[in-house]
Amino acid sequence: MNAQAEYERWLRHEELDPDLRRELFQIEGDEREIEDRFYQSLTFGTGGLRGVLGAGTNRMNRYTVRKVTQSLARFLVRQGDAAMRRGVVIAYDSRRQSSAFAREAALVLAANQVKAYLFEGVRPTPELSFAVRHLGAAAGIMITASHNPPEYNGCKLYGADGAQLTADAAEAIAAELADVDELAVPLADAEDAAAQGLLEEIGAAMDEAYAARLRTLAFQSRENNADYRVVYTPLHGTGSAPVQRALLDIGFRHVTVVPEQERPDADFPTVASPNPEDPAAFALAIETAEKTEADLAMATDPDADRVGVAVRDGSGAFVCLTGNQLGALLLDYILSQRAKRQALPGNGAIVKTIVTSEMGAAIAARYGVETVETLTGFKHIAEAIRQWEKTGEKTFLFGYEESCGYLIGDFCRDKDGVQACMLTAEMAAYYAKQGKSLHQVLLALYEQVGFYQEALESFTWTGREGAKRIQRLMERLRKEPPERVGDAAVTARKDYLPGIDGLPPADVIKVLLADGSWFAARPSGTEPKIKFYFGVKGTDAADASERLNRLKTDVLQFIGMTKGSDLCHAH
């Protein structure tokens, strides 16, 4: 793609959005900026697009949204009238331009005679997944950039089962993208589309249907939860209403929402990043918990598909649990409650990703439950559920990934922060009745299955050169892999690119070491970053911590980076 030629083509477009036109005039003559904005179209990866808002083919804007929606519409039209009538559900979060992008998508679909169900206000990603299934729609669109900084937005695509697109569907839509001119996508008139039944707003009735299914997940009576104090923050996102309702529905009477963060706000003014994986995002929640004498603080990201928690440790101070730690607690709670009720099926299975802690597999084994591993990304967990529905081979019990994503009830097919908040609060109240904190329960689990610790280091390099740097790093790991890491010999190197272990191809490398430690490298499919995952098992907490720090140091030295450098953003 010739960046300068594309820049000039956009400027010549008579109906170009005035704000975007002014933005393009402001960079006139800036070859580097023009190159970055127009050297490619925004990458379609892991079922959608995500990028910085702005003018250009390599930015998120109304024309980017039109292009991907037109590609989805063509994909559905090829499937025939039935798919077009079943339509597409569209939801959006609290980010900049999310509402406008959602309406643009609806009008593109209507112009193609594909029905659009448009939520009348902000909703979380898991409710979008639920709505696709509930309405029997052919697809779904979620306008969100998850937990990225305020200058980002994005668009995720969902299939008829409520899961993010399968590889085949994503490839088909990506192929359509190449033939779509983003500046020439037709839009329907909103009033005409509504009159023809091609545009329908949805809202309260879907909220009620979703809430009703959430209530079925509760293990305890409402009375068990009545006195327990919880603090929750939606981090200026979509989670406030559904999470508060879910907690109220199962009996929680003392839920305090962080007032400064309760309302949706696209600028996320109280946090550096609205990411529940980041302990810094909990500052106000912990402050509120101290004031209200709560023992649990929970936070969801802007589209409420991820949840993080902070709990009191043995000294009474708040500590943030990792995604792996909360996953271990939820897993043990769910399996123990099912076992208590003699409701553990003989073919029950949990699903975790290849970069998620091995602690989950150890816990599941105690209950005689199988652990199935998938590639990173919740669509792969959803794919396992879909296959088991067809074959009856296994019964899904729980799915999770290290990045604070959890699924308990499969009426959604993406990670669900609302479900996870509800069960986490119930779990905390249940143990509190027994005089135990979640921190104490976690320590007991370590004693039972082993002291597992994990970490993540992320490197972000933007632009064309950044993408090349990430590619060179992966090539080095493939062509010149380490034979030893520190004192431990490499016992296996799993390159998932050709497709191994019955999994589809993925640009991931996982290295197993003789001492039981491991690390993995994975470029992001939607962001200009590469992630390194680390896992160890120690004889006690101190030993595990020492092993983890040594592993991280040795691996980062091998790849030529140092922890904490200005290019390394650790979560």
Side-chain angles (χ1 to χ4, degrees), residues 324 355 357 453-459 485 517-520 531-536 547-556 559 563:
N324 282 313
V355 296
S357 173
Q453 281 196 27
E454 297 78 27
L456 167 68
E457 298 281 351
S458 297
F459 297 82
V485 177
S517 303
W518 60 271
F519 75 89
K531 297 180 178 181
F532 281 83
Y533 304 82
F534 307 88
V536 302
R547 287 172 181 266
L548 185 62
N549 286 330
R550 190 164 62 243
L551 176 64
K552 286 195 295 183
T553 299
D554 291 342
V555 171
L556 292 177
I559 64 173
K563 188 175 67 170

Side-chain angles (χ1 to χ4, degrees), residues 254-274:
H254 302 287
V255 178
T256 302
V257 180
V258 177
E260 302 92 331
Q261 298 173 331
E262 182 171 8
R263 294 180 61 83
D265 189 326
D267 294 329
F268 310 116
T270 64
V271 289
S273 173

Side-chain angles (χ1 to χ4, degrees), residues 505-520:
D507 192 9
V508 183
I509 295 173
K510 187 173 183 179
V511 178
L512 308 181
L513 306 178
D515 64 357
S517 303
W518 60 271
F519 75 89

